[in-house]
Amino acid sequence: MTYYWKIRRLTTKHRKHLAQRLLSLRAGLRKQVTEKRDVGELKIATWNLKHFGGAGGYKRSTESLLYIAEIIDHFDLVAIQEVKRDLTQLKSLLWDYLGSEWDYVVSDITEGSAGNDERMAVLYRKERVTFSREAGEFVLPPIKSETGSVAPRQLARSPFYIGFQAGWFKFKLCSVHIHYGAKSGVDRNLRTEEIKDLAQQLRTRSDNERRREIKYAKKKQYDITPSAANYILLGDFNIHEGSPSKAALTDNGFDVPDDIEKVYTNTGATREPFDQIAVRIKDKRFKQGSGGVLDYREFIYRDGPSEPGSTKDSDFYRTLSLSHVEKIKEKEQILKDQPKIKLEKAAKKRAKAKTESATKQKKLNEQAAKLEKDAGELKEKFKDKVFLEKYISDGVHDYFKGYYRKNQISDHLLLWTSFKIDYADNYLEGFTTSDF
C-alpha cells in the first residue's frame, strides 16, 4: 500500500489538489487494472521512467513520486528502464512511498555514450513474487566462424536478466532498453539486429533448458507438464509503427499477448509502440490474462479540465510557490517579457549588422525590423488583460505538456499484462487420473 504521509508536508491548497488527483488515479487504476485481474493472476508491467534519478529533466517532486508509487502499487512486478547512476531517488521511492511490501533488484550502469549512464531496475511485491537469486547482465556469446570465434557487437545497453517465482510459476525476466535513433536507415537496422540477436539467444536458452527438464522428468518418471524454462522479454524496444523491428521479436520465438499487441506507449504527437512485453512459455499450464496501457494523463498532470468548474492543471501550478514549479513560474515571466525580449534580440541584430557585408547587413536589419514590429504589436495586445492571460496560459500549458510533465512522470506510458500463477487445480487433478 502506498505511503501517503508526505502529503501532510504540503500546503493546504496543494494537498487538496493532490488528494483529488490521487483519488482520480486510484479510481482509474481500479477500473483499468485491478477489476480485470483474477485472484490467481500475476500483474507485471514495464515502464521507462525518463532519466529517473538524475542527469536530465527534473528531480521528481513529492507529488510526482506519490503518483508513480500509486501506479506501481497496483501491480506485482514492474521493470523500470532509464534508472540513472544515482540510486537515491529509487531508494526513496521504495522506502518512503511504496514501503516494506516491496523490494528491488538493479543492474550496474552501462558505461560509454551508448549506455547513457543508465541501469535497469525491477521492483516486486514480496508477498506475491520471490526473487530466485539468479540475476545478471545478458551478454551475447562469441560468433563461430571458419577461422575461430569472433566477439559479437554487444547491445548498446546491457539487458538485465533475473529469475523469479510467483505462485507455481517460475520464470526468467529480461528487461531491455534497445538502441535509440532514427526511424529508418542505420539506426533502424541496428535496432532490429539487437532485438533479433537477443531473442534468438533467449529462444535457444529456453529450448535447451526445456530439453534438460524433459530428460530429467522422464528419467524420474515425473510429470513433464510443468516447466521453469519460461522467458518474459520486456522493456523499451524503441520500435516505431510499421517497423520490421517488431517482427525480429515475434519471428524469433516470442509471442506478444493479444491485449497489448497493437497499443502505443509514447506521449508524443506521433503514436509509437516503443515498449513491448513478449513471452516464450514452456509450461503447458500457462494461461494469459488481460493487459493494456495506462495513460496517466487521464488522471494526473492533465491536459484540460475533467470535472465541471476545474481548470487545466498547468494553470493550477502557476498559482503555487514551490521549488519544483520554479520552471513554470520562470516560463510565465518569460512570456510576459516577450516584447522586451524581442526588442533586445532586434538590438543585437542591428549591432551585428554594422560589422557585416552589405548583403548580410540587409538580412539582419530586416530580421531586426520584424522583431521590432512583433514586439510593438504584442505590447499593444498585452494591454488587453484577457488576451494577456490567454497568451500566458497557452504558453505555460505548451511548456507543461512538452517538458514539465514528461520529466516529472515520463514520456512513456506504462505497459502491463497478467497471467495465471495458481496451478493447484492442475496438480490435484493429476492425482485423480494417475495410478502412481
Side-chain angles (χ1 to χ4, degrees):
M1 183 178 69
T2 308
Y3 291 173
Y4 300 116
W5 60 273
K6 285 201 173 187
I7 295 178
R8 294 181 177 275
R9 294 183 174 181
L10 305 178
T11 63
T12 302
K13 182 178 182 179
H14 194 191
R15 191 162 59 229
K16 180 179 179 181
H17 173 83
L18 174 54
Q20 289 172 339
R21 300 275 51 81
L22 279 169
L23 286 168
S24 176
L25 178 61
R26 285 172 58 81
L29 284 162
R30 281 195 297 271
K31 183 177 180 180
Q32 295 186 27
V33 180
T34 311
E35 291 176 1
K36 290 184 176 181
R37 194 200 79 177
D38 184 88
V39 175
E41 289 182 347
L42 186 79
K43 300 194 301 294
I44 69 168
T46 180
W47 200 2
N48 180 324
L49 281 179
K50 181 178 172 66
H51 296 313
F52 194 77
Y58 292 98
K59 177 182 178 181
R60 263 68 172 193
S61 66
T62 295
E63 177 178 7
S64 296
L65 287 170
L66 278 165
Y67 292 149
I68 291 169
E70 188 67 62
I71 291 169
I72 290 173
D73 196 47
H74 280 72
F75 299 89
D76 301 308
L77 181 152
V78 180
I80 299 176
Q81 297 82 44
E82 286 201 30
V83 176
K84 306 301 281 188
R85 184 185 293 268
D86 186 351
L87 291 174
T88 303
Q89 199 161 74
L90 181 70
K91 292 176 180 179
S92 175
L93 177 64
L94 267 291
W95 299 338
D96 297 332
Y97 297 87
L98 285 167
S100 58
E101 294 178 9
W102 285 83
D103 207 343
Y104 70 100
V105 188
V106 293
S107 69
D108 192 8
I109 60 163
T110 302
E111 299 284 2
S113 59
N116 198 31
D117 208 30
E118 293 178 19
R119 64 172 93 232
M120 314 272 187
V122 177
L123 282 57
Y124 61 96
R125 192 187 302 275
K126 292 184 288 185
E127 181 185 7
R128 301 273 293 168
V129 182
T130 301
F131 172 42
S132 67
R133 300 293 186 266
E134 178 183 359
E137 295 182 11
F138 195 88
V139 178
L140 296 175
I143 301 170
K144 294 181 180 179
S145 67
E146 295 179 358
T147 57
S149 296
V150 180
R153 183 188 185 282
Q154 297 298 331
L155 278 68
R157 303 173 183 91
S158 300
F160 192 29
Y161 174 92
I162 321 103
F164 290 103
Q165 180 169 349
W168 295 67
F169 186 62
K170 297 178 181 179
F171 61 99
K172 285 89 174 177
L173 182 139
C174 187
S175 177
V176 302
H177 191 183
I178 298 298
H179 175 78
Y180 173 78
K183 187 173 183 177
S184 59
V186 175
D187 285 321
R188 184 192 67 186
N189 295 339
L190 184 54
R191 188 159 46 245
T192 303
E193 183 181 340
E194 284 194 352
I195 296 171
K196 181 192 72 174
D197 290 346
L198 179 59
Q200 286 179 345
Q201 288 301 321
L202 292 178
R203 178 186 65 188
T204 299
R205 181 174 289 199
S206 172
D207 292 346
N208 289 341
E209 286 180 15
R210 184 56 178 158
R211 277 192 287 271
R212 289 192 292 268
E213 283 181 343
I214 293 174
K215 183 179 179 180
Y216 180 80
K218 286 182 175 179
K219 181 180 178 180
K220 295 292 185 178
Q221 295 186 327
Y222 293 159
D223 182 8
I224 65 170
T225 301
S227 175
N230 307 304
Y231 283 73
I232 299 173
L233 181 54
L234 79 179
D236 179 3
F237 288 78
N238 279 308
I239 293 175
H240 292 269
E241 179 69 9
S243 168
S245 300
K246 187 170 184 177
L249 181 64
T250 54
D251 289 351
N252 286 289
F254 280 82
D255 298 317
V256 177
D258 292 342
D259 280 3
I260 57 174
E261 186 176 8
K262 296 180 180 180
V263 296
Y264 303 100
T265 59
N266 67 316
T267 62
T270 303
R271 302 175 72 192
E272 302 287 3
F274 286 148
D275 306 271
Q276 299 286 327
I277 300 175
V279 300
R280 182 171 178 80
I281 306 299
K282 297 294 184 178
D283 196 316
K284 295 180 180 179
R285 302 166 298 178
F286 180 83
K287 184 178 179 182
Q288 189 70 51
S290 55
V293 173
L294 180 76
D295 191 341
Y296 67 84
R297 299 169 300 178
E298 295 179 29
F299 315 106
I300 58 174
Y301 294 136
R302 303 162 301 159
D303 282 334
S306 58
E307 296 93 11
S310 66
T311 61
K312 298 194 297 289
D313 278 356
S314 57
D315 284 334
F316 171 78
Y317 293 110
R318 287 171 56 200
T319 69
L320 299 179
S321 298
L322 299 171
S323 60
H324 73 275
V325 296
E326 282 179 357
K327 295 291 185 181
I328 287 180
K329 307 290 280 187
E330 288 173 12
K331 183 65 178 180
E332 181 174 352
Q333 189 59 50
I334 289 170
L335 289 163
K336 289 179 180 177
D337 290 342
Q338 277 304 295
K340 177 184 175 183
I341 291 170
K342 288 179 182 293
L343 288 174
E344 289 174 349
K345 288 181 179 179
K348 287 180 181 179
K349 286 185 179 292
R350 292 198 182 280
K352 186 178 180 182
K354 294 177 181 179
T355 64
E356 299 289 347
S357 64
T359 303
K360 288 187 178 180
Q361 276 185 16
K362 181 180 179 182
K363 186 176 181 180
L364 286 167
N365 284 325
E366 286 175 350
Q367 292 173 349
K370 185 177 185 308
L371 285 167
E372 289 163 353
K373 180 183 177 184
D374 291 344
E377 290 177 351
L378 206 53
K379 188 176 181 180
E380 189 64 29
K381 289 178 180 178
F382 277 8
K383 293 178 181 179
D384 182 344
K385 291 184 179 180
V386 174
F387 174 88
L388 176 60
E389 172 54 30
K390 186 177 187 308
Y391 180 86
I392 294 173
S393 176
D394 290 347
V396 167
H397 189 58
D398 288 343
Y399 172 80
F400 173 80
K401 291 193 301 180
Y403 192 80
Y404 181 83
R405 179 171 62 188
K406 72 181 183 182
N407 283 283
Q408 279 295 315
I409 303 296
S410 184
D411 53 354
H412 286 248
L413 304 176
L414 178 141
L415 178 70
W416 69 279
T417 189
S418 61
F419 44 81
K420 180 180 177 182
I421 58 171
D422 183 356
Y423 302 149
D425 288 349
N426 304 73
Y427 180 75
L428 294 172
E429 286 168 1
F431 288 102
T432 67
T433 57
S434 175
D435 295 327
F436 68 86

